[in-house]
mmCIF file of all heavy atoms in Angstrom:
data_model
loop_
_atom_site.group_PDB
_atom_site.id
_atom_site.type_symbol
_atom_site.label_atom_id
_atom_site.label_comp_id
_atom_site.label_asym_id
_atom_site.label_seq_id
_atom_site.Cartn_x
_atom_site.Cartn_y
_atom_site.Cartn_z
ATOM 1 N N VAL A 219 4.821 12.725 -11.084
ATOM 2 C CA VAL A 219 4.185 12.276 -12.315
ATOM 3 C C VAL A 219 2.782 12.733 -12.452
ATOM 4 O O VAL A 219 2.154 13.056 -11.350
ATOM 5 C CB VAL A 219 4.253 10.755 -12.461
ATOM 6 C CG1 VAL A 219 5.672 10.203 -12.482
ATOM 7 C CG2 VAL A 219 3.461 10.020 -11.384
ATOM 8 N N SER A 220 2.200 12.815 -13.589
ATOM 9 C CA SER A 220 0.777 13.214 -13.765
ATOM 10 C C SER A 220 0.000 12.057 -14.416
ATOM 11 O O SER A 220 0.534 11.447 -15.350
ATOM 12 C CB SER A 220 0.621 14.475 -14.645
ATOM 13 O OG SER A 220 1.166 15.578 -14.046
ATOM 14 N N TRP A 221 -1.210 11.808 -13.922
ATOM 15 C CA TRP A 221 -2.110 10.861 -14.453
ATOM 16 C C TRP A 221 -3.529 11.409 -14.394
ATOM 17 O O TRP A 221 -3.971 11.854 -13.382
ATOM 18 C CB TRP A 221 -2.055 9.595 -13.645
ATOM 19 C CG TRP A 221 -2.976 8.471 -14.082
ATOM 20 C CD1 TRP A 221 -2.738 7.606 -15.047
ATOM 21 C CD2 TRP A 221 -4.256 8.184 -13.472
ATOM 22 N NE1 TRP A 221 -3.850 6.754 -15.195
ATOM 23 C CE2 TRP A 221 -4.741 7.065 -14.211
ATOM 24 C CE3 TRP A 221 -4.948 8.647 -12.454
ATOM 25 C CZ2 TRP A 221 -5.947 6.441 -13.946
ATOM 26 C CZ3 TRP A 221 -6.164 8.070 -12.121
ATOM 27 C CH2 TRP A 221 -6.654 6.935 -12.842
ATOM 28 N N ARG A 222 -4.105 11.492 -15.645
ATOM 29 C CA ARG A 222 -5.476 12.059 -15.800
ATOM 30 C C ARG A 222 -5.644 13.459 -15.026
ATOM 31 O O ARG A 222 -6.639 13.740 -14.340
ATOM 32 C CB ARG A 222 -6.494 11.109 -15.252
ATOM 33 C CG ARG A 222 -6.578 9.844 -16.087
ATOM 34 C CD ARG A 222 -7.751 9.082 -15.842
ATOM 35 N NE ARG A 222 -7.818 7.938 -16.731
ATOM 36 C CZ ARG A 222 -8.792 7.049 -16.831
ATOM 37 N NH1 ARG A 222 -9.769 7.176 -15.933
ATOM 38 N NH2 ARG A 222 -8.809 6.131 -17.666
ATOM 39 N N GLY A 223 -4.688 14.275 -15.225
ATOM 40 C CA GLY A 223 -4.712 15.671 -14.715
ATOM 41 C C GLY A 223 -4.359 15.845 -13.278
ATOM 42 O O GLY A 223 -4.466 16.912 -12.720
ATOM 43 N N GLN A 224 -3.974 14.752 -12.579
ATOM 44 C CA GLN A 224 -3.575 14.821 -11.157
ATOM 45 C C GLN A 224 -2.155 14.597 -11.049
ATOM 46 O O GLN A 224 -1.573 13.662 -11.727
ATOM 47 C CB GLN A 224 -4.409 13.840 -10.387
ATOM 48 C CG GLN A 224 -5.897 14.024 -10.472
ATOM 49 C CD GLN A 224 -6.418 15.346 -9.884
ATOM 50 O OE1 GLN A 224 -5.790 15.859 -8.958
ATOM 51 N NE2 GLN A 224 -7.475 15.855 -10.524
ATOM 52 N N GLN A 225 -1.437 15.174 -10.084
ATOM 53 C CA GLN A 225 -0.060 14.988 -9.785
ATOM 54 C C GLN A 225 0.150 14.030 -8.624
ATOM 55 O O GLN A 225 -0.557 14.147 -7.616
ATOM 56 C CB GLN A 225 0.687 16.237 -9.485
ATOM 57 C CG GLN A 225 0.862 17.166 -10.730
ATOM 58 C CD GLN A 225 1.883 18.231 -10.531
ATOM 59 O OE1 GLN A 225 2.150 18.689 -9.435
ATOM 60 N NE2 GLN A 225 2.514 18.679 -11.633
ATOM 61 N N PHE A 226 1.072 13.082 -8.780
ATOM 62 C CA PHE A 226 1.407 12.126 -7.746
ATOM 63 C C PHE A 226 2.923 12.248 -7.425
ATOM 64 O O PHE A 226 3.718 12.374 -8.372
ATOM 65 C CB PHE A 226 1.076 10.698 -8.289
ATOM 66 C CG PHE A 226 -0.415 10.409 -8.392
ATOM 67 C CD1 PHE A 226 -1.100 10.894 -9.558
ATOM 68 C CD2 PHE A 226 -1.114 9.826 -7.485
ATOM 69 C CE1 PHE A 226 -2.447 10.711 -9.792
ATOM 70 C CE2 PHE A 226 -2.479 9.554 -7.611
ATOM 71 C CZ PHE A 226 -3.124 10.020 -8.800
ATOM 72 N N VAL A 227 3.184 12.198 -6.168
ATOM 73 C CA VAL A 227 4.560 12.402 -5.726
ATOM 74 C C VAL A 227 5.163 11.049 -5.253
ATOM 75 O O VAL A 227 4.484 10.246 -4.669
ATOM 76 C CB VAL A 227 4.571 13.417 -4.529
ATOM 77 C CG1 VAL A 227 5.998 13.608 -3.945
ATOM 78 C CG2 VAL A 227 4.010 14.736 -4.903
ATOM 79 N N ARG A 228 6.498 10.923 -5.608
ATOM 80 C CA ARG A 228 7.122 9.665 -5.191
ATOM 81 C C ARG A 228 7.344 9.669 -3.684
ATOM 82 O O ARG A 228 7.728 10.630 -3.012
ATOM 83 C CB ARG A 228 8.504 9.608 -5.889
ATOM 84 C CG ARG A 228 9.266 8.287 -5.638
ATOM 85 C CD ARG A 228 10.689 8.298 -6.157
ATOM 86 N NE ARG A 228 11.476 9.310 -5.529
ATOM 87 C CZ ARG A 228 12.313 10.092 -6.101
ATOM 88 N NH1 ARG A 228 12.521 10.036 -7.444
ATOM 89 N NH2 ARG A 228 12.962 11.035 -5.521
ATOM 90 N N ARG A 229 7.037 8.445 -3.054
ATOM 91 C CA ARG A 229 7.288 8.255 -1.662
ATOM 92 C C ARG A 229 8.111 6.946 -1.472
ATOM 93 O O ARG A 229 7.980 6.086 -2.374
ATOM 94 C CB ARG A 229 5.972 8.072 -0.950
ATOM 95 C CG ARG A 229 4.933 9.133 -1.268
ATOM 96 C CD ARG A 229 5.010 10.324 -0.381
ATOM 97 N NE ARG A 229 3.890 11.208 -0.653
ATOM 98 C CZ ARG A 229 4.041 12.457 -0.559
ATOM 99 N NH1 ARG A 229 5.193 13.016 -0.278
ATOM 100 N NH2 ARG A 229 3.019 13.231 -0.821
ATOM 101 N N SER A 230 8.765 6.852 -0.373
ATOM 102 C CA SER A 230 9.514 5.594 -0.103
ATOM 103 C C SER A 230 9.645 5.566 1.444
ATOM 104 O O SER A 230 10.178 6.540 2.024
ATOM 105 C CB SER A 230 10.831 5.575 -0.772
ATOM 106 O OG SER A 230 11.455 4.305 -0.624
ATOM 107 N N PRO A 231 9.295 4.433 2.081
ATOM 108 C CA PRO A 231 9.447 4.399 3.587
ATOM 109 C C PRO A 231 10.836 4.278 4.065
ATOM 110 O O PRO A 231 11.639 3.593 3.344
ATOM 111 C CB PRO A 231 8.616 3.185 3.963
ATOM 112 C CG PRO A 231 8.726 2.289 2.751
ATOM 113 C CD PRO A 231 8.795 3.197 1.568
ATOM 114 N N SER A 232 11.132 4.750 5.194
ATOM 115 C CA SER A 232 12.385 4.464 5.885
ATOM 116 C C SER A 232 12.016 3.949 7.216
ATOM 117 O O SER A 232 12.331 4.554 8.206
ATOM 118 C CB SER A 232 13.274 5.673 5.939
ATOM 119 O OG SER A 232 12.575 6.679 6.559
ATOM 120 N N ASN A 233 11.312 2.781 7.258
ATOM 121 C CA ASN A 233 10.846 2.243 8.464
ATOM 122 C C ASN A 233 10.832 0.739 8.361
ATOM 123 O O ASN A 233 11.461 0.167 7.445
ATOM 124 C CB ASN A 233 9.436 2.718 8.816
ATOM 125 C CG ASN A 233 8.477 2.483 7.642
ATOM 126 O OD1 ASN A 233 8.567 1.465 7.018
ATOM 127 N ND2 ASN A 233 7.520 3.372 7.532
ATOM 128 N N LYS A 234 10.184 0.084 9.297
ATOM 129 C CA LYS A 234 10.240 -1.399 9.384
ATOM 130 C C LYS A 234 9.383 -2.107 8.339
ATOM 131 O O LYS A 234 9.410 -3.346 8.254
ATOM 132 C CB LYS A 234 9.669 -1.847 10.782
ATOM 133 C CG LYS A 234 8.231 -1.514 10.970
ATOM 134 C CD LYS A 234 7.761 -1.875 12.317
ATOM 135 C CE LYS A 234 6.288 -1.478 12.495
ATOM 136 N NZ LYS A 234 5.801 -1.893 13.817
ATOM 137 N N PHE A 235 8.668 -1.361 7.468
ATOM 138 C CA PHE A 235 7.787 -2.017 6.520
ATOM 139 C C PHE A 235 8.407 -2.530 5.299
ATOM 140 O O PHE A 235 7.750 -3.119 4.384
ATOM 141 C CB PHE A 235 6.579 -1.113 6.250
ATOM 142 C CG PHE A 235 5.754 -0.811 7.476
ATOM 143 C CD1 PHE A 235 5.721 0.430 8.073
ATOM 144 C CD2 PHE A 235 4.905 -1.828 8.048
ATOM 145 C CE1 PHE A 235 4.943 0.680 9.133
ATOM 146 C CE2 PHE A 235 4.194 -1.611 9.127
ATOM 147 C CZ PHE A 235 4.161 -0.317 9.711
ATOM 148 N N GLY A 236 9.682 -2.375 5.156
ATOM 149 C CA GLY A 236 10.345 -2.945 3.995
ATOM 150 C C GLY A 236 10.570 -1.995 2.849
ATOM 151 O O GLY A 236 10.262 -0.776 2.906
ATOM 152 N N GLU A 237 11.150 -2.490 1.789
ATOM 153 C CA GLU A 237 11.492 -1.680 0.635
ATOM 154 C C GLU A 237 10.292 -1.509 -0.296
ATOM 155 O O GLU A 237 9.610 -2.385 -0.646
ATOM 156 C CB GLU A 237 12.569 -2.375 -0.176
ATOM 157 C CG GLU A 237 13.795 -2.685 0.587
ATOM 158 C CD GLU A 237 13.646 -3.997 1.446
ATOM 159 O OE1 GLU A 237 12.856 -4.830 1.059
ATOM 160 O OE2 GLU A 237 14.392 -4.168 2.386
ATOM 161 N N ALA A 238 10.076 -0.232 -0.674
ATOM 162 C CA ALA A 238 8.996 0.059 -1.602
ATOM 163 C C ALA A 238 9.141 1.502 -2.121
ATOM 164 O O ALA A 238 9.702 2.328 -1.418
ATOM 165 C CB ALA A 238 7.621 -0.130 -1.000
ATOM 166 N N ILE A 239 8.523 1.782 -3.295
ATOM 167 C CA ILE A 239 8.424 3.107 -3.818
ATOM 168 C C ILE A 239 7.110 3.212 -4.306
ATOM 169 O O ILE A 239 6.544 2.308 -4.986
ATOM 170 C CB ILE A 239 9.431 3.345 -5.017
ATOM 171 C CG1 ILE A 239 10.914 3.175 -4.556
ATOM 172 C CG2 ILE A 239 9.243 4.637 -5.681
ATOM 173 C CD1 ILE A 239 11.902 3.147 -5.746
ATOM 174 N N TRP A 240 6.368 4.313 -3.991
ATOM 175 C CA TRP A 240 5.010 4.508 -4.508
ATOM 176 C C TRP A 240 4.805 5.926 -4.855
ATOM 177 O O TRP A 240 5.536 6.819 -4.461
ATOM 178 C CB TRP A 240 4.008 3.941 -3.539
ATOM 179 C CG TRP A 240 3.871 4.740 -2.261
ATOM 180 C CD1 TRP A 240 3.072 5.798 -2.041
ATOM 181 C CD2 TRP A 240 4.517 4.432 -1.037
ATOM 182 N NE1 TRP A 240 3.244 6.247 -0.712
ATOM 183 C CE2 TRP A 240 4.131 5.418 -0.124
ATOM 184 C CE3 TRP A 240 5.398 3.424 -0.660
ATOM 185 C CZ2 TRP A 240 4.532 5.433 1.193
ATOM 186 C CZ3 TRP A 240 5.921 3.474 0.625
ATOM 187 C CH2 TRP A 240 5.464 4.386 1.552
ATOM 188 N N TYR A 241 3.766 6.147 -5.657
ATOM 189 C CA TYR A 241 3.383 7.539 -6.045
ATOM 190 C C TYR A 241 1.919 7.702 -5.537
ATOM 191 O O TYR A 241 0.990 6.936 -5.818
ATOM 192 C CB TYR A 241 3.420 7.631 -7.568
ATOM 193 C CG TYR A 241 4.847 7.612 -8.126
ATOM 194 C CD1 TYR A 241 5.569 6.440 -8.170
ATOM 195 C CD2 TYR A 241 5.496 8.823 -8.357
ATOM 196 C CE1 TYR A 241 6.877 6.450 -8.623
ATOM 197 C CE2 TYR A 241 6.813 8.833 -8.788
ATOM 198 C CZ TYR A 241 7.489 7.590 -8.862
ATOM 199 O OH TYR A 241 8.828 7.605 -9.254
ATOM 200 N N SER A 242 1.751 8.788 -4.701
ATOM 201 C CA SER A 242 0.484 9.051 -4.124
ATOM 202 C C SER A 242 0.184 10.564 -4.174
ATOM 203 O O SER A 242 1.022 11.359 -4.462
ATOM 204 C CB SER A 242 0.431 8.464 -2.661
ATOM 205 O OG SER A 242 1.362 9.233 -1.888
ATOM 206 N N ARG A 243 -1.052 10.815 -3.828
ATOM 207 C CA ARG A 243 -1.561 12.215 -3.715
ATOM 208 C C ARG A 243 -2.545 12.346 -2.581
ATOM 209 O O ARG A 243 -3.350 11.318 -2.402
ATOM 210 C CB ARG A 243 -2.065 12.727 -5.002
ATOM 211 C CG ARG A 243 -3.386 12.194 -5.425
ATOM 212 C CD ARG A 243 -3.860 12.821 -6.763
ATOM 213 N NE ARG A 243 -5.285 12.517 -6.974
ATOM 214 C CZ ARG A 243 -6.286 13.201 -6.687
ATOM 215 N NH1 ARG A 243 -6.107 14.510 -6.170
ATOM 216 N NH2 ARG A 243 -7.542 12.894 -6.920
ATOM 217 N N SER A 244 -2.662 13.434 -1.977
ATOM 218 C CA SER A 244 -3.666 13.682 -0.952
ATOM 219 C C SER A 244 -5.014 13.882 -1.621
ATOM 220 O O SER A 244 -5.119 14.640 -2.584
ATOM 221 C CB SER A 244 -3.285 14.886 -0.074
ATOM 222 O OG SER A 244 -4.349 15.224 0.805
ATOM 223 N N ILE A 245 -6.024 13.314 -1.043
ATOM 224 C CA ILE A 245 -7.414 13.454 -1.543
ATOM 225 C C ILE A 245 -8.264 14.057 -0.509
ATOM 226 O O ILE A 245 -9.550 13.953 -0.631
ATOM 227 C CB ILE A 245 -7.964 12.144 -2.105
ATOM 228 C CG1 ILE A 245 -7.981 11.036 -1.045
ATOM 229 C CG2 ILE A 245 -7.236 11.689 -3.344
ATOM 230 C CD1 ILE A 245 -8.681 9.800 -1.424
ATOM 231 N N GLY A 246 -7.726 14.679 0.471
ATOM 232 C CA GLY A 246 -8.505 15.357 1.500
ATOM 233 C C GLY A 246 -8.352 14.748 2.902
ATOM 234 O O GLY A 246 -7.395 14.016 3.103
ATOM 235 N N LYS A 247 -9.250 15.013 3.756
ATOM 236 C CA LYS A 247 -9.148 14.585 5.124
ATOM 237 C C LYS A 247 -10.308 13.616 5.448
ATOM 238 O O LYS A 247 -11.383 13.753 4.903
ATOM 239 C CB LYS A 247 -9.124 15.729 6.070
ATOM 240 C CG LYS A 247 -7.920 16.692 5.898
ATOM 241 C CD LYS A 247 -7.675 17.564 7.080
ATOM 242 C CE LYS A 247 -6.499 18.436 6.842
ATOM 243 N NZ LYS A 247 -5.213 17.873 7.116
ATOM 244 N N ASP A 248 -10.048 12.713 6.385
ATOM 245 C CA ASP A 248 -11.124 11.757 6.769
ATOM 246 C C ASP A 248 -11.924 12.421 7.965
ATOM 247 O O ASP A 248 -11.686 13.587 8.321
ATOM 248 C CB ASP A 248 -10.573 10.454 7.161
ATOM 249 C CG ASP A 248 -9.622 10.442 8.367
ATOM 250 O OD1 ASP A 248 -9.680 11.432 9.140
ATOM 251 O OD2 ASP A 248 -8.921 9.463 8.623
ATOM 252 N N GLU A 249 -12.837 11.687 8.545
ATOM 253 C CA GLU A 249 -13.733 12.227 9.559
ATOM 254 C C GLU A 249 -12.962 12.577 10.848
ATOM 255 O O GLU A 249 -13.435 13.361 11.666
ATOM 256 C CB GLU A 249 -14.836 11.242 9.891
ATOM 257 C CG GLU A 249 -14.405 9.900 10.377
ATOM 258 C CD GLU A 249 -14.043 8.867 9.230
ATOM 259 O OE1 GLU A 249 -14.257 9.226 8.074
ATOM 260 O OE2 GLU A 249 -13.541 7.822 9.553
ATOM 261 N N ASN A 250 -11.746 12.024 11.081
ATOM 262 C CA ASN A 250 -10.881 12.379 12.165
ATOM 263 C C ASN A 250 -9.911 13.457 11.872
ATOM 264 O O ASN A 250 -9.047 13.818 12.666
ATOM 265 C CB ASN A 250 -10.144 11.102 12.632
ATOM 266 C CG ASN A 250 -11.071 9.971 13.079
ATOM 267 O OD1 ASN A 250 -12.125 10.316 13.678
ATOM 268 N ND2 ASN A 250 -10.760 8.800 12.831
ATOM 269 N N GLY A 251 -9.926 14.061 10.702
ATOM 270 C CA GLY A 251 -9.043 15.154 10.287
ATOM 271 C C GLY A 251 -7.650 14.693 9.839
ATOM 272 O O GLY A 251 -6.837 15.442 9.630
ATOM 273 N N GLU A 252 -7.573 13.329 9.640
ATOM 274 C CA GLU A 252 -6.325 12.762 9.108
ATOM 275 C C GLU A 252 -6.303 12.916 7.599
ATOM 276 O O GLU A 252 -7.302 12.635 6.959
ATOM 277 C CB GLU A 252 -6.155 11.305 9.528
ATOM 278 C CG GLU A 252 -6.187 11.136 11.059
ATOM 279 C CD GLU A 252 -4.833 11.620 11.647
ATOM 280 O OE1 GLU A 252 -3.786 11.493 11.034
ATOM 281 O OE2 GLU A 252 -4.996 12.137 12.746
ATOM 282 N N ASN A 253 -5.148 13.096 7.066
ATOM 283 C CA ASN A 253 -5.041 13.176 5.533
ATOM 284 C C ASN A 253 -5.294 11.774 4.990
ATOM 285 O O ASN A 253 -4.844 10.750 5.493
ATOM 286 C CB ASN A 253 -3.591 13.637 5.145
ATOM 287 C CG ASN A 253 -3.330 15.038 5.434
ATOM 288 O OD1 ASN A 253 -4.298 15.894 5.432
ATOM 289 N ND2 ASN A 253 -2.119 15.385 5.642
ATOM 290 N N ARG A 254 -5.998 11.776 3.835
ATOM 291 C CA ARG A 254 -6.275 10.587 3.069
ATOM 292 C C ARG A 254 -5.455 10.703 1.784
ATOM 293 O O ARG A 254 -5.314 11.723 1.167
ATOM 294 C CB ARG A 254 -7.716 10.462 2.789
ATOM 295 C CG ARG A 254 -8.619 10.234 4.076
ATOM 296 C CD ARG A 254 -10.098 10.131 3.782
ATOM 297 N NE ARG A 254 -10.321 9.192 2.627
ATOM 298 C CZ ARG A 254 -11.163 9.406 1.574
ATOM 299 N NH1 ARG A 254 -11.823 10.656 1.578
ATOM 300 N NH2 ARG A 254 -11.427 8.582 0.664
ATOM 301 N N TYR A 255 -4.937 9.557 1.343
ATOM 302 C CA TYR A 255 -4.207 9.516 0.094
ATOM 303 C C TYR A 255 -4.705 8.387 -0.773
ATOM 304 O O TYR A 255 -5.304 7.471 -0.371
ATOM 305 C CB TYR A 255 -2.757 9.126 0.469
ATOM 306 C CG TYR A 255 -2.020 10.277 1.263
ATOM 307 C CD1 TYR A 255 -2.090 10.268 2.626
ATOM 308 C CD2 TYR A 255 -1.429 11.259 0.633
ATOM 309 C CE1 TYR A 255 -1.474 11.260 3.369
ATOM 310 C CE2 TYR A 255 -0.803 12.305 1.355
ATOM 311 C CZ TYR A 255 -0.809 12.218 2.736
ATOM 312 O OH TYR A 255 -0.262 13.232 3.432
ATOM 313 N N GLU A 256 -4.426 8.603 -2.103
ATOM 314 C CA GLU A 256 -4.657 7.507 -3.065
ATOM 315 C C GLU A 256 -3.389 7.268 -3.730
ATOM 316 O O GLU A 256 -2.497 8.111 -3.910
ATOM 317 C CB GLU A 256 -5.708 7.835 -4.040
ATOM 318 C CG GLU A 256 -5.520 8.957 -4.996
ATOM 319 C CD GLU A 256 -6.566 9.058 -6.003
ATOM 320 O OE1 GLU A 256 -7.522 8.247 -6.057
ATOM 321 O OE2 GLU A 256 -6.532 10.009 -6.808
ATOM 322 N N ARG A 257 -3.107 6.007 -4.120
ATOM 323 C CA ARG A 257 -1.949 5.601 -4.771
ATOM 324 C C ARG A 257 -2.160 5.311 -6.225
ATOM 325 O O ARG A 257 -3.175 4.711 -6.640
ATOM 326 C CB ARG A 257 -1.314 4.262 -4.146
ATOM 327 C CG ARG A 257 -0.685 4.505 -2.773
ATOM 328 C CD ARG A 257 0.082 3.321 -2.390
ATOM 329 N NE ARG A 257 0.534 3.417 -1.027
ATOM 330 C CZ ARG A 257 1.447 2.742 -0.421
ATOM 331 N NH1 ARG A 257 1.918 1.696 -1.149
ATOM 332 N NH2 ARG A 257 1.848 2.949 0.794
ATOM 333 N N LEU A 258 -1.222 5.787 -7.027
ATOM 334 C CA LEU A 258 -1.210 5.526 -8.483
ATOM 335 C C LEU A 258 -0.575 4.105 -8.700
ATOM 336 O O LEU A 258 -1.097 3.319 -9.441
ATOM 337 C CB LEU A 258 -0.502 6.634 -9.215
ATOM 338 C CG LEU A 258 -0.316 6.398 -10.647
ATOM 339 C CD1 LEU A 258 -1.697 6.320 -11.400
ATOM 340 C CD2 LEU A 258 0.506 7.537 -11.284
ATOM 341 N N ILE A 259 0.609 3.957 -8.132
ATOM 342 C CA ILE A 259 1.373 2.733 -8.428
ATOM 343 C C ILE A 259 2.372 2.527 -7.258
ATOM 344 O O ILE A 259 2.798 3.433 -6.651
ATOM 345 C CB ILE A 259 2.148 2.762 -9.761
ATOM 346 C CG1 ILE A 259 2.782 1.445 -10.126
ATOM 347 C CG2 ILE A 259 3.109 3.976 -9.777
ATOM 348 C CD1 ILE A 259 3.216 1.322 -11.540
ATOM 349 N N THR A 260 2.586 1.231 -6.965
ATOM 350 C CA THR A 260 3.556 0.873 -5.912
ATOM 351 C C THR A 260 4.507 -0.101 -6.578
ATOM 352 O O THR A 260 4.115 -1.159 -7.244
ATOM 353 C CB THR A 260 2.796 0.149 -4.755
ATOM 354 O OG1 THR A 260 1.886 1.060 -4.153
ATOM 355 C CG2 THR A 260 3.827 -0.214 -3.641
ATOM 356 N N PHE A 261 5.782 0.086 -6.270
ATOM 357 C CA PHE A 261 6.825 -0.787 -6.720
ATOM 358 C C PHE A 261 7.335 -1.497 -5.435
ATOM 359 O O PHE A 261 7.829 -0.722 -4.508
ATOM 360 C CB PHE A 261 8.002 -0.066 -7.433
ATOM 361 C CG PHE A 261 7.546 0.646 -8.694
ATOM 362 C CD1 PHE A 261 7.140 1.857 -8.701
ATOM 363 C CD2 PHE A 261 7.658 -0.066 -9.897
ATOM 364 C CE1 PHE A 261 6.683 2.531 -9.935
ATOM 365 C CE2 PHE A 261 7.279 0.523 -11.149
ATOM 366 C CZ PHE A 261 6.803 1.803 -11.063
#
């Protein structure tokens, strides 16, 4: 999906954290070199 010119991709965990669907996008890396994400919406 697109919101304000940015694309967000659907994600869904397959782990112990339960049922959820969210849309996120990478916004760069943190000081440790790990990817940072922002979420548009979580169901």
Side-chain angles (χ1 to χ4, degrees):
V219 299
S220 291
W221 179 79
R222 294 194 173 182
Q224 303 295 328
Q225 286 194 337
F226 293 80
V227 177
R228 184 185 64 221
R229 313 268 187 218
S230 187
S232 56
N233 55 32
K234 65 182 181 181
F235 295 111
E237 305 82 21
I239 298 169
W240 66 88
Y241 291 79
S242 64
R243 72 180 190 97
S244 175
I245 56 171
K247 298 198 181 278
D248 64 15
E249 59 277 353
N250 299 323
E252 300 290 323
N253 288 332
R254 294 179 49 227
Y255 295 89
E256 68 174 355
R257 286 191 186 192
L258 174 63
I259 188 167
T260 301
F261 296 90

